[in-house]
Amino acid sequence: MVVVLGVVAVVWGLGRGDGKDGGGAPVADVRHDGGSETGEPADTLARRIPGDPLAQGDADAPVVLVMWEDFQCPFCAKFAQETEPVLVDRFVEDGILRLEWRDFPYFGEQSVQAARAARAAGEQGAFWQYHDAVYALGFPPNSGQLTDEVLTGVAADLGLDVERFTATMQSQQTLDAVTADFQEGQQLGIAGTPAFLVNGRPIMGAQPTDTFVEAIEQAAQQAASDG
């Protein structure tokens, strides 16, 4: 784990781009051996928890795409709206790919609150629906528009139990989970969103869909050859 973290941090450190926009940073890919110097698998950071509400796809899928995102990030919204549906249709539904969300709320307090809200929705089995609905709002970063009232309204629109949603969103346990993800990303050297790992291969920014398709296909081929 330590070696993998160190390698990825160096890779992302080389590909940080201009920081908070995340969209123009280059693909960072310097590992091709599929593992670490300790022999650990390249997707060590994948959690593969069965039934994880913040994940899509089989827990034992050969490829895992770990995604660090912020609900105020326009490039995250672009990925969610344009690329993610393609990956779900092409790879997740066929059992090839698993998506695992990580919170990286670096735009500030409203990003933290949105992350807490999405987790509260996930506790009712609606994380991904909530994720889509918040990105669809299209609010600019730090506009002040992503208020608790708006977040609760999204939950109501989705038919969630609002009282239960609010209690979960405001709980210390939910805040601790968001904070843990954020700290993990910082330890990896992530400096902008969205940021991704495809079986250990770092990709930074809302790259073209074909970039993700190629990386997933290569990872799947590698996984098959490793048997």
Side-chain angles (χ1 to χ4, degrees):
M1 173 73 78
V2 173
V3 174
V4 173
L5 285 172
V7 170
V8 175
V10 169
V11 173
W12 263 316
L14 293 173
R16 287 181 177 181
D18 55 5
K20 287 196 173 183
D21 70 12
V27 175
D29 179 17
V30 298
R31 291 197 62 82
H32 302 282
D33 59 1
S36 73
E37 288 84 345
T38 62
E40 295 174 326
D43 69 343
T44 299
L45 296 179
R47 294 170 184 167
R48 296 183 177 275
I49 301 170
D52 183 354
L54 275 64
Q56 292 188 68
D58 297 340
D60 59 354
V63 183
V64 179
L65 175 65
V66 184
M67 310 153 32
W68 284 267
E69 298 190 33
D70 183 315
F71 281 108
Q72 291 195 90
C73 166
F75 294 101
C76 298
K78 178 180 175 65
F79 173 83
Q81 293 165 347
E82 298 180 7
T83 298
E84 192 175 291
V86 175
L87 302 185
V88 170
D89 181 66
R90 184 163 177 176
F91 299 110
V92 174
E93 293 182 0
D94 287 344
I96 296 170
L97 178 67
R98 177 177 174 84
L99 305 179
E100 293 191 357
W101 172 276
R102 304 286 188 271
D103 292 306
F104 197 77
Y106 75 113
F107 274 111
E109 182 58 31
Q110 290 196 339
S111 293
V112 172
Q113 287 299 98
R116 297 174 75 173
R119 284 178 175 268
E123 197 261 341
Q124 297 187 47
F127 174 84
W128 294 100
Q129 295 96 318
Y130 195 90
H131 153 284
D132 291 346
V134 172
Y135 278 134
L137 295 172
F139 295 153
N142 291 327
S143 66
Q145 295 173 272
L146 199 57
T147 63
D148 285 3
E149 182 179 2
V150 168
L151 294 170
T152 303
V154 172
D157 289 344
L158 292 174
L160 303 183
D161 181 331
V162 173
E163 183 176 351
R164 176 181 167 191
F165 168 87
T166 302
T168 304
M169 179 176 71
Q170 294 177 347
S171 73
Q172 184 63 44
Q173 182 178 1
T174 300
L175 177 58
D176 289 345
V178 171
T179 301
D181 273 4
F182 192 27
Q183 291 176 342
E184 178 188 60
Q186 290 173 316
Q187 290 169 357
L188 287 167
I190 296 173
T193 52
F196 307 91
L197 285 179
V198 181
N199 276 20
R201 171 187 174 180
I203 298 177
M204 187 64 203
Q207 301 293 332
T209 299
D210 286 348
T211 298
F212 290 92
V213 169
E214 179 183 357
I216 292 164
E217 288 178 340
Q218 290 177 353
Q221 291 172 3
Q222 182 66 47
S225 66
D226 290 344

